[in-house]
Amino acid sequence: GMGETYRTMKRAADLDDVTYVSDFSLCVKIEDIQFVPSDIEEKAKKSYFDWREAESVYTFKKDKARLEMKPVFKRFTQENTPPSLYNHGFENMDSLGAVYSRSSSHIFGDWNACGK
């Protein structure tokens, strides 16, 4: 699916909002995640739109009772067009998912049919 915005995830984590679940909810400390760009918090404060998840890397640990998933790396990409567009500006981002969305728009006529 489409990546969440940095400011939305950060706000929920800062407010301990248990009704909003994101990768930040899976961490003991957000500082445990390596961010690209490393100064994402500063960039998000200054950007007109926001920064959206582009790629993520996780570790998985399984025992008999449960599966633990922990994010260790997140790359964010700046939203280049208004997120209020019909496609949330997703087609115009710099990520592998956005490439799939652009291709999907041309092939299927729908930016969100990239799972076909």
Side-chain angles (χ1 to χ4, degrees):
M2 189 168 58
E4 283 294 334
T5 61
Y6 175 80
R7 288 191 289 233
T8 301
M9 290 190 294
K10 182 77 165 91
R11 185 180 315 112
D14 289 347
L15 296 174
D16 292 323
D17 182 355
V18 296
T19 65
Y20 182 87
V21 178
S22 75
D23 284 358
F24 290 4
S25 310
L26 301 172
C27 302
V28 175
K29 296 182 300 187
I30 293 174
E31 295 79 24
D32 291 341
I33 304 173
Q34 178 187 351
F35 292 115
V36 174
S38 59
D39 59 344
I40 182 63
E41 188 160 4
E42 290 304 312
K43 287 185 183 292
K45 287 178 186 175
K46 295 176 183 174
S47 65
Y48 185 72
F49 300 125
D50 202 348
W51 289 70
R52 194 174 286 278
E53 292 176 283
E55 287 90 31
S56 301
V57 176
Y58 304 87
T59 59
F60 296 89
K61 183 175 162 184
K62 183 179 179 184
D63 61 27
K64 292 180 182 179
R66 62 190 296 249
L67 174 66
E68 179 183 313
M69 184 174 85
K70 180 179 159 188
V72 293
F73 173 88
K74 291 192 106 22
R75 185 178 79 80
F76 287 86
T77 184
Q78 190 169 14
E79 292 177 321
N80 297 315
T81 52
S84 56
L85 291 174
Y86 76 99
N87 64 0
H88 306 274
F90 190 61
E91 278 182 31
N92 303 319
M93 290 181 207
D94 302 321
S95 71
L96 184 56
V99 171
Y100 287 126
S101 285
R102 285 191 293 275
S103 300
S104 177
S105 290
H106 292 289
I107 296 168
F108 302 113
D110 181 357
W111 72 275
N112 203 25
C114 47
K116 287 188 176 183

